[in-house]
């Protein structure tokens, strides 16, 4: 039994949420300089992409 489109989008959403939270955490706790803002911004971008993948899950 293979993975269909919805399963792939679900896994991609989960991975992107984890990476987004990890990057926001790195920006908040590890890097206190200007680079922390960059890490946090990229993390928010990952969460936005995960939101798009999640909304596409039943429509493709």
């Amino acid at each position: 039994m293979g993975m269909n489109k919805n399963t792939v989008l679900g896994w991609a959403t989960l991975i992107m949420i984890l990476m987004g939270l990890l990057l926001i955490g790195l920006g908040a706790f590890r890097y206190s300089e200007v680079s922390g803002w960059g890490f946090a911004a990229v993390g928010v971008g990952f969460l936005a992409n995960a939101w798009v993948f999640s909304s596409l899950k039943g429509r493709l």
Side-chain angles (χ1 to χ4, degrees):
M1 182 174 155
M3 294 191 336
N4 59 8
K5 293 179 284 191
N6 289 332
T7 307
V8 170
L9 284 172
W11 279 106
T13 301
L14 178 68
I15 291 169
M16 291 190 79
I17 287 172
L18 292 176
M19 285 301 298
L21 292 175
L22 176 75
L23 286 169
I24 290 172
L26 277 174
F29 298 114
R30 175 73 170 104
Y31 299 105
S32 60
E33 297 88 23
V34 176
S35 60
W37 289 99
F39 273 99
V42 171
V44 170
F46 265 86
L47 291 179
N49 282 336
W51 182 28
V52 170
F53 280 178
S54 178
S55 67
L56 286 174
K57 199 164 119 177
R59 301 179 189 267
L60 288 179

